[in-house]
Amino acid sequence: MRAMTDFVTESVQKFLKPIETNWQPTDFLPDSQNPDEFYIQIKELQAAAKGLSYDVLTVLVGDTITEEALPSYESWLSRLEGIHEEAETNPWKVWVRLWTAEENRHGDLLNKYLYLSGRVNMREFERSTQYLIADGFNIETGQDPYRNFIYTSFQELATNISHRRVATIAKQQGDSLLSKINGVISADEMRHAKAYMSFIKKIFEFDPNEVLVAFEDMMRKKIVMPAHFLRETGMDVGGLWGHFTDAAQRTGVYTAIDYANILKDLVSEWNLEGLTDLNEAGEKSRDYLVKLPMRLLKISERMVNPVNEYEFKWIGVRN
Ligand SMILES: [Fe+2]
Ligand SMILES: [Fe+2]
């Protein structure tokens, strides 16, 4: 981690945007300081949101709650080895804070959109958010930076896909504002994915065997999503997770095929097949990892789409 401090300093410049020029949630929302326009814009927003299907709306709410649990992610990244023991001015700490600041806009913007849309029981949404932050998350990566940056690479790509797909579907269903919102968020996620992938790429230069072993270990345990503990009122921890992923799979917003394809992209981005001069453990892990995407793709292609249409408290009765 210390060997990479210059690299991280450059990454802050390269992958994160200055606050002065970065987009803000307000840029996409009705302007409450302009009373003449405000109510007209809200009416337009609500009219467009009426066309969103139940499944897409539930996925959007789940995605928003995942973004809103950002305090958990910041505290988790701050605990990593090579970060937690450093001074506040350390480039890794700067990275974590600036990344958090950028991410904070995602939950802000989506939350405000959902509130204005009139389609969501905001109190239930807020309770689910509070539950998710209170329940925390356990992704079994410990404080190891290798495992955790493999995780963030994976996760940023996954959120890029899901926000991008919601953008496409929202457009098809006549909500161009939501489409724009999800488009701009998904572009952020891609920028972040590139950063975390570059961290791992750099680590490959120093320590290829250990990073391969870490990667294999992560994939054997499977990448657990940050909203794994999702629930709503009256449920045990994680009770809502299956219903949320069912809706994501059904709408095609995020599927088992995407999981396999993300892995495939990471294997090629880090050029696993081209790695030589490895020790025995490293070779074993590399061989396992290069074959895994095809194996997962075959399994996912045989999966049937879930049909159980759950009624979420966030939205209420299906119609
Ligand atoms: Fe995000
Ligand atoms: Fe992100």
Side-chain angles (χ1 to χ4, degrees):
M1 293 293 271
R2 287 200 187 115
M4 282 176 66
T5 46
D6 287 347
F7 185 80
V8 176
T9 304
E10 287 162 26
S11 298
V12 168
Q13 304 288 328
K14 187 171 165 194
F15 294 110
L16 298 176
K17 296 212 167 158
I19 293 167
E20 294 74 26
T21 50
N22 216 347
W23 65 262
Q24 299 299 333
T26 302
D27 303 340
F28 301 91
L29 294 164
D31 179 5
S32 60
Q33 290 196 303
N34 181 349
D36 293 340
E37 290 293 312
F38 186 52
Y39 299 105
I40 299 167
Q41 288 169 344
I42 290 175
K43 280 201 176 114
E44 285 168 1
L45 187 152
Q46 295 203 342
K50 271 205 177 86
L52 296 173
S53 69
Y54 194 98
D55 274 345
V56 160
L57 201 55
T58 53
V59 172
L60 178 64
V61 174
D63 285 351
T64 307
I65 293 169
T66 311
E67 295 283 356
E68 288 286 55
L70 184 62
S72 304
Y73 318 141
E74 184 182 21
S75 57
W76 146 67
L77 284 174
S78 305
R79 280 196 306 271
L80 297 192
E81 257 175 72
I83 298 183
H84 74 90
E85 61 276 60
E86 299 296 333
E88 290 308 303
T89 50
N90 175 278
W92 284 108
K93 286 237 166 111
V94 174
W95 170 270
V96 172
R97 290 197 306 268
L98 279 179
W99 170 84
T100 304
E102 283 208 349
E103 283 286 341
N104 191 57
R105 300 167 309 148
H106 300 171
D108 257 8
L109 176 53
L110 291 170
N111 185 329
K112 285 175 182 138
Y113 168 85
L114 291 176
Y115 170 70
L116 292 174
S117 78
R119 295 273 323 259
V120 175
N121 180 332
M122 288 305 284
R123 196 160 201 284
E124 289 295 340
F125 156 87
E126 285 156 352
R127 283 169 102 166
S128 275
T129 303
Q130 206 187 335
Y131 272 130
L132 188 60
I133 295 173
D135 292 333
F137 72 140
N138 179 13
I139 50 172
E140 297 182 50
T141 48
Q143 290 175 289
D144 168 23
Y146 295 5
R147 281 172 176 73
N148 283 289
F149 294 144
I150 291 166
Y151 182 85
T152 48
S153 300
F154 197 103
Q155 203 49 53
E156 297 282 5
L157 287 174
T159 49
N160 164 264
I161 291 173
S162 55
H163 289 306
R164 181 154 42 86
R165 297 256 171 80
V166 171
T168 306
I169 300 171
K171 191 161 200 176
Q172 287 160 356
Q173 297 183 347
D175 193 332
S176 57
L177 174 65
L178 181 62
S179 179
K180 211 158 109 189
I181 288 173
N182 276 78
V184 79
I185 293 174
S186 102
D188 273 9
E189 311 294 22
M190 187 41 106
R191 205 157 33 78
H192 296 161
K194 283 185 179 153
Y196 287 116
M197 288 191 292
S198 81
F199 293 175
I200 290 293
K201 201 164 187 133
K202 193 76 191 163
I203 295 171
F204 264 110
E205 290 174 19
F206 297 110
D207 199 3
N209 294 300
E210 283 302 314
V211 75
L212 281 167
V213 169
F215 193 7
E216 178 188 354
D217 177 50
M218 300 271 305
M219 294 317 299
R220 283 197 188 273
K221 286 195 271 198
K222 298 199 179 67
I223 303 277
V224 182
M225 295 296 161
H228 196 68
F229 286 161
L230 197 62
R231 59 162 143 168
E232 56 185 15
T233 331
M235 268 183 177
D236 289 335
V237 176
L240 203 58
W241 173 246
H243 297 304
F244 171 53
T245 53
D246 280 359
Q249 175 89 28
R250 213 167 27 234
T251 48
V253 166
Y254 184 76
T255 70
I257 294 176
D258 293 320
Y259 184 95
N261 280 330
I262 289 173
L263 176 62
K264 199 167 131 220
D265 289 348
L266 293 177
V267 166
S268 97
E269 174 70 26
W270 295 327
N271 189 25
L272 260 54
E273 282 182 89
L275 289 176
T276 49
D277 295 331
L278 300 168
N279 66 23
E280 203 181 318
E283 269 184 17
K284 231 178 93 239
S285 294
R286 180 200 59 197
D287 293 347
Y288 170 81
L289 289 162
V290 296
K291 284 190 206 122
L292 191 58
M294 273 318 282
R295 268 180 50 201
L296 292 179
L297 270 175
K298 274 191 193 136
I299 298 168
S300 57
E301 276 158 11
R302 284 199 300 268
M303 279 171 64
V304 260
N305 253 359
V307 284
N308 173 22
E309 298 192 339
Y310 181 77
E311 257 176 31
F312 289 77
K313 287 203 172 78
W314 303 332
I315 300 176
V317 184
R318 273 185 176 272
N319 50 30

